[in-house]
Amino acid sequence: MIRVTYLSKSYGDVEALPGVSFSVASGEIIGLLGPNGAGKTTIMKILAGYLHPSEGDVEVGGLNILAHTGRVQEMVGYLPENAPLYPELTVQSHLKMIADLRLIPKDEQQRCISEAVYAVGLTNRLTRLVGTLSKGYRQRVGLAQAILHKPKLLILDEPTNGLDPTQIVEVRHLIRKLAETSTVLVSTHILSEVEATCDRVIIIMQGKVKADARLADLSATTDAHLALDGIEDEEGVLKMLSALSGVKGVEVEERKNGRTSFRVTGRTDQDLCPAIFGLAKEHDWPLCELKREVRTLEAVFNELIAADGGRS
């Protein structure tokens, strides 16, 4: 659905993107992450046809963004961080105007507006002036206008901005539902939202792709945690764990209330838990806990920030 090849963008002497490449398949939900000034918004604006790249190739739905800007924009729904709304219009009038601009046939407009309004929870606000709505409801209007024409690519910049916790959960479900018919690109500073919603993340720092992976792969580690209750031969346990195939090292993490916790580090990406469980069963160890360590997206993000010199 998206193919970006050596994309660069400069604003005068300032180089916002020095050459970014990535691709996105149809139906994926991608989290586009990075610190402020990393180039995320620039990428989204170029994909939406709002900005032209300085160099490189950008394709959306197999169409070059420069050669077919109008056709690309027809298949894209875009919600910028601050949705451009007309405060003097009612919600219904605003969406009707967007439907006209999107060239949605007159006999289909009512259905499209009704479906968008229902999806974002605006059914009881149709006759209200946009300017009188709370920030959260204005954000919903922005979402409604972005999905009105059932886009093949939906670009959302901070989509939960201004929403309360209940509304955030609703938007999560909405994004998942929209992914049944659209490819979704989401940019947000709320990493837990990405973990709850996205299949894959692309992390941009200093205008470069620092990570591009599925969440499950990005968060996986080689470490396993083992907790045993009331063991008598701690040294023997350490030796047997260290002798397992694929184990790089073993250390005691904690001793508390008769329970001993171990961290087992692997040499490869393989899951050590099955082998550890087999060893515990063979020697009748009093097993309390056994799990593979999973890094949070926040931990991965902070590691990349540190590796990038702490710049943000």
Side-chain angles (χ1 to χ4, degrees), residues 114-173:
S114 296
E115 289 176 356
V117 163
Y118 178 77
V120 302
L122 277 172
T123 51
N124 61 346
R125 296 291 192 280
L126 282 176
T127 59
R128 293 276 298 274
L129 293 175
V130 172
T132 66
L133 298 176
S134 67
K135 184 176 182 180
Y137 274 103
R138 291 198 300 272
Q139 191 73 351
R140 293 187 188 206
V141 177
L143 274 169
Q145 63 85 21
I147 66 175
L148 195 61
H149 60 300
K150 295 180 173 55
K152 292 183 180 179
L153 172 62
L154 183 60
I155 302 172
L156 305 175
D157 192 357
E158 301 290 346
T160 58
N161 186 25
L163 302 184
D164 63 36
T166 301
Q167 294 165 346
I168 288 173
V169 172
E170 292 172 355
V171 170
R172 286 183 191 171
H173 294 312

Side-chain angles (χ1 to χ4, degrees), residues 31 33 188 190-198 200-201 215 297:
L33 306 178
T188 178
I190 306 174
L191 300 184
S192 60
E193 288 302 305
V194 176
E195 290 177 315
T197 307
C198 299
R200 178 176 144 219
V201 294
L215 272 170
L297 185 55

Side-chain angles (χ1 to χ4, degrees), residues 31-44:
L32 185 63
L33 306 178
N36 292 332
K40 307 184 299 298
T41 298
T42 297
I43 291 173
M44 288 185 287

Side-chain angles (χ1 to χ4, degrees), residues 220-297:
T221 72
T222 62
D223 292 359
H225 290 277
L226 168 69
L228 302 177
D229 195 16
I231 57 170
E232 297 179 358
D233 186 9
E234 183 179 295
E235 286 299 318
V237 171
L238 286 168
K239 288 180 181 179
M240 283 184 277
L241 288 171
S242 299
L244 283 175
S245 176
V247 171
K248 181 179 180 180
V250 184
E251 62 179 356
V252 175
E253 285 190 302
E254 185 181 47
R255 299 181 184 90
K256 187 176 181 180
N257 298 326
R259 178 175 298 180
T260 307
S261 298
F262 303 84
R263 177 191 291 269
V264 186
T265 304
R267 297 183 184 276
T268 64
D269 292 336
Q270 75 178 81
D271 186 356
L272 295 172
C273 289
I276 295 173
F277 179 77
L279 193 64
K281 184 177 180 181
E282 178 185 351
H283 294 279
D284 199 26
W285 291 344
L287 183 62
C288 298
E289 183 181 43
L290 175 60
K291 64 181 181 180
R292 187 175 186 178
E293 181 179 294
V294 177
R295 293 182 300 174
T296 64
L297 185 55

